[in-house]
Amino acid sequence: MTDDLTHLGLVEDGEIRLDEAALTLALLDHPGVDLAPYRQLLDEMETRVGVAGRGVTAPAERADVLAMVLAGEFGFAGDADSYDHPDNADLLRVLDRRRGLPVSLSILWVAVARRVGWTADALDVPGHVLVLLGAEADPVIVDPFAGGVRVDAGRLTSLVQRSGEIPGAVTHIAAMPNRSVLVRLLQNQASRAEQAGQGRRALELYARMTIMAPATVHAWWERGRLELLDDHVSAARASLSAILEITRDQALRRRVSETLEALPDS
């Protein structure tokens, strides 16, 4: 399984299959679990979407098919009642429970859409993740957490404003690279673990991020911070030094260098 994680860190971003990658990450916490039933479920969803969507070309119609199959027939929905439960960011448990976070459900929607040859991407919205269907002609944004409802400009602006980040109308949001989606999934787990007082669990999750997405500065910083809290000075020094290898941000480099200089001898 560690080899699988390392492989994720080495392959080109476009080669990553989101569903398989998310299963790989979940399996790290469930060693020995047979993935065959989960892959079969994904295959069944692919088949149903392929049949229901045969001949459908417009992104809006494809959005309707995905909602009908994933939310309607298979019952996947956002877990508003126990939103912060760790199971919501674990694809194995999401597939078991048919409940999840915006990011885990978006992984599912994007993966199934891509399986049938449709263009789909996860969209990074502050405090939320949405799905974009279609890249150029009449693209449609949907919210898997809300059963696949359409997200127009007004609803999108409302979501972003609710996060407190942008006061005005939203004119552009970016599709997330595959690794960024997976980092977002692990980040949800890590932040909740630390909030629950599980510092070493959070450290393990940040370590997974740095292996899977070694260019992610934030993961290295958080890993180093938690290693220091655990009195692993030499490990923290290595994590912080890794940041100097991957960033050219001068302000950040100065901050990291000053932090390294202030570290006690290991």
Side-chain angles (χ1 to χ4, degrees):
M1 286 186 289
T2 302
D3 290 342
D4 290 338
L5 191 62
T6 301
H7 178 72
L8 277 177
L10 295 174
V11 299
E12 294 293 330
D13 191 83
E15 297 177 23
I16 295 174
R17 286 184 55 184
L18 280 176
D19 49 351
E20 280 295 325
L23 287 176
T24 295
L25 294 176
L27 194 59
L28 293 170
D29 294 320
H30 306 283
V33 168
D34 183 7
L35 292 183
Y38 297 97
R39 289 181 172 132
Q40 181 179 349
L41 176 58
L42 288 164
D43 289 344
E44 290 172 4
M45 288 186 280
E46 175 188 349
T47 298
R48 282 296 302 126
V49 169
V51 170
R54 185 174 293 129
V56 173
T57 59
E61 294 175 334
R62 290 177 173 179
D64 291 340
V65 170
L66 285 167
M68 178 185 71
V69 174
L70 299 185
E73 295 183 19
F74 286 88
F76 284 95
D79 187 354
D81 294 330
S82 52
Y83 188 87
D84 290 324
H85 197 285
D87 284 352
N88 287 323
D90 177 324
L91 189 60
L92 292 180
R93 292 295 172 251
V94 170
L95 292 172
D96 285 334
R97 300 167 60 246
R98 312 293 171 97
R99 293 292 181 271
L101 290 173
V103 63
S104 55
L105 293 172
S106 292
I107 286 173
L108 186 62
W109 280 59
V110 168
V112 173
R114 288 176 177 175
R115 277 169 167 251
V116 298
W118 296 350
T119 300
D121 291 287
L123 292 180
D124 186 9
V125 179
H128 208 67
V129 180
L130 302 171
V131 169
L132 174 71
L133 294 166
E136 297 177 0
D138 301 317
V140 172
I141 299 175
V142 297
D143 185 353
F145 191 80
V149 299
R150 306 277 179 84
V151 179
D152 59 16
R155 180 175 171 83
L156 181 59
T157 298
S158 176
L159 282 170
V160 175
Q161 288 177 340
R162 194 183 308 166
S163 74
E165 295 208 7
I166 301 176
V170 178
T171 58
H172 177 74
I173 52 176
M176 301 172 72
N178 292 320
R179 274 197 186 83
S180 296
V181 180
L182 297 171
V183 166
R184 180 76 167 258
L185 184 70
L186 291 178
Q187 179 64 56
N188 273 280
Q189 297 180 39
S191 60
R192 284 163 174 76
E194 192 163 10
Q195 289 167 10
Q198 301 169 349
R200 290 187 177 176
R201 164 67 175 164
L203 174 56
E204 171 61 26
L205 290 162
Y206 282 116
R208 292 176 190 177
M209 286 185 227
T210 60
I211 297 171
M212 179 196 70
T216 306
V217 169
H218 171 74
W220 284 110
W221 180 268
E222 293 300 311
R223 177 176 176 173
R225 177 180 64 82
L226 290 170
E227 286 166 339
L228 278 177
L229 289 175
D230 211 21
D231 291 325
H232 291 166
V233 177
S234 59
R237 189 181 300 279
S239 294
L240 293 172
S241 296
I243 297 175
L244 299 178
E245 298 294 325
I246 59 178
T247 184
R248 293 295 171 262
D249 184 316
Q250 293 303 312
L252 178 58
R253 290 178 65 84
R254 283 194 298 272
R255 182 184 180 191
V256 171
S257 296
E258 291 169 358
T259 302
L260 283 168
E261 290 174 4
L263 292 180
D265 294 333
S266 55

